Amino acid sequence: MALPPLDSPEWQSPWRAFAWGLRSITQTILTIVLFVTYLGIGALAHDTHFSLLWALCSTLFVWAGPAQIILITTLGSGATVIQSAIAVTVSAIRLFPMVVSVLPLMRTPTTRRRELVFAAHLTAVTLWVECHRFLPQVPRERRIAFVHGLGVGLVSVCLTANTVGYFLAANLTQTLGAAILLLTPLSFLFSTARNSREVADVIALVLGILLYPLAAKMNSGLDILVSGVLAGTIAYGVHWWREVRA
């Protein structure tokens, strides 16, 4: 499915743009990855004795697979609500740079802040990756509606997968459940590699992979954060140096 040209009448209505965003979930392999991942999250919620409604609400309001896994496992192991909230918040901080990088792609001079609230909530790794692929093909004044459609489509897939996984939990072995959850970071890695067009992007990605084993030896629990910040800072420095020389 190719999106209409930027000057096509198909973009005249916000509802048409929403519909194109909704249909775009069929054009990314991440939809399948999300479905399989949320099968595992639904099964995990079942095995830790949470209700299906609780699992669906966690998807709607948290909308981040790793954060949901942290929420389920911490509460399931006896942690307090405050402890779980802190752990989820720390995990969610990684999404802040993604929101900051995606929202400017949607704004116009007349965009009001409240119009970006729902798009900000929908911005997780999957949406961030696909926005950089799809939004250049969407007129700027219709990008918010398009992202709403794309996000609603992805969330709907995850809610469906939650339900299916919850009722199939008895048939999922521990090994299969773990393998399913591993699909998410692998798919994000390959999608990020595919979308790396600038030299700085490639440097950040490669350094992040190389520095992670060293950061993991610190046993701090912040290995991903440390390796990511170091790799991103070095990549930005290289980008700045290239810009100055040019």
Side-chain angles (χ1 to χ4, degrees):
M1 182 193 74
L3 293 176
L6 293 175
D7 57 353
S8 170
E10 290 285 331
W11 297 115
Q12 290 181 358
S13 165
W15 289 106
R16 286 282 186 90
F18 180 91
W20 279 110
L22 198 61
R23 292 176 61 184
S24 294
I25 67 171
T26 63
Q27 301 305 302
T28 171
I29 191 65
L30 294 182
T31 300
I32 299 174
V33 173
L34 278 179
F35 183 85
V36 177
T37 299
Y38 275 80
L39 281 177
I41 292 176
L44 181 64
H46 176 277
D47 291 343
T48 44
H49 308 294
F50 289 102
S51 69
L52 175 60
L53 177 61
W54 188 95
L56 295 178
C57 286
S58 76
T59 296
L60 280 174
F61 297 116
V62 178
W63 180 228
Q68 288 175 249
I69 294 171
I70 291 171
L71 179 65
I72 293 170
T73 53
T74 52
L75 288 177
S77 63
T80 65
V81 173
I82 294 177
Q83 289 171 326
S84 298
I86 293 173
V88 171
T89 300
V90 171
S91 168
I93 288 173
R94 78 193 194 284
L95 301 177
F96 181 70
M98 299 179 191
V99 174
V100 172
S101 67
V102 164
L103 292 189
L105 299 178
M106 308 178 204
R107 298 187 68 170
T108 68
T110 59
T111 300
R112 290 167 289 189
R113 289 184 180 179
R114 65 173 179 269
E115 296 173 6
L116 298 170
V117 171
F118 188 48
H121 171 65
L122 292 172
T123 302
V125 180
T126 306
L127 192 83
W128 173 73
V129 168
E130 295 307 328
C131 277
H132 284 281
R133 184 161 70 101
F134 285 126
L135 290 188
Q137 306 172 57
V138 180
R140 182 169 286 272
E141 65 274 12
R142 294 290 177 253
R143 288 180 180 179
I144 294 177
F146 180 89
V147 168
H148 285 172
L150 179 61
V152 167
L154 293 173
V155 172
S156 299
V157 168
C158 293
L159 292 174
T160 303
N162 269 161
T163 305
V164 174
Y166 192 89
F167 289 113
L168 289 180
N171 299 317
L172 286 177
T173 65
Q174 247 184 351
T175 303
L176 179 58
I180 285 173
L181 295 177
L182 183 62
L183 283 175
T184 300
L186 286 176
S187 65
F188 291 156
L189 174 63
F190 293 135
S191 298
T192 303
R194 180 194 63 192
N195 288 348
S196 296
R197 298 182 177 89
E198 301 288 338
V199 173
D201 298 335
V202 177
I203 292 174
L205 179 62
V206 173
L207 283 180
I209 294 172
L210 295 177
L211 291 174
Y212 176 76
L214 298 177
K217 290 184 177 181
M218 297 167 54
N219 294 321
S220 64
L222 300 174
D223 38 22
I224 295 178
L225 178 63
V226 170
S227 58
V229 169
L230 284 176
T233 302
I234 295 171
Y236 176 77
V238 172
H239 172 74
W240 177 82
W241 179 72
R242 285 166 55 90
E243 289 288 318
V244 170
R245 290 197 63 185

